Amino acid sequence: MAKLWHIDSSVLGDNSVSRKLSAGIVAQFKAADPALEVSYLDLAAQPLGHMSPAHIGALFGHPPTDEATLADIARGQAALDELFAADIIVIGAPMYNFGLPSQLKSLLDRLLAAGKTFKYGEDGQPQGLVDPGKRVFIASSRGGLYSGESPFAPFDHQEKHLVGALNFIGLTNVSVIRAEGVNMPALKDDAIAAAQAEIAKL
């Protein structure tokens, strides 16, 4: 049975464009394969904690004693398990202040784990340890215009960061479905419609 891991990170709830797009991607795959097993992680509702001295200490054999940190470390391990189990990964990733939501960055900090999802070879070059055959879809939303020849393209630290991190651990089959200009009334509806049309072709 194929497995899909659906991740959302927007804090805007029903007003979120990235959530609408990520849900549309999941629905498209579910329609094609009703037996598809879907697991869901809402990073706004249940955020992973930011990395702390206690988290780093645990990596070096000094487990924390407080229950909250232990539970958070366990949730990070569960996220790693989901990463390896999934055949398809769908990530709702809005742009916040030119970058990723901090909640999504916290997840990346758990997924980029030396010795688990990547390692350095004898030549010092990094090697991804996650199956490159997995398919990843990023539902990207942006208030302004940051792609192509836009003068604001150098400010894109959202898609470039996320795609780069995924590539680093071996996930190279990554597709970005983007709606940008969603804070511009003249562009919003067309931007969302174009992204939805792209989803319909999956």
Side-chain angles (χ1 to χ4, degrees), residues 105-124:
K105 174 60 168 61
S106 289
L107 175 63
L108 289 181
D109 286 340
R110 309 305 178 87
L111 300 185
L112 273 70
K116 296 179 180 178
T117 58
F118 74 92
K119 67 177 181 179
Y120 291 100
E122 293 182 0
D123 59 358

Side-chain angles (χ1 to χ4, degrees), residues 8-9 23 27 41 54 60 105 114 130 147-148 155-156 162 168 199:
D8 272 326
S9 59
L41 175 60
F60 292 94
K105 174 60 168 61
V130 182
S147 62
F155 291 88
D156 173 14
L162 183 52
F168 186 82
I199 291 170

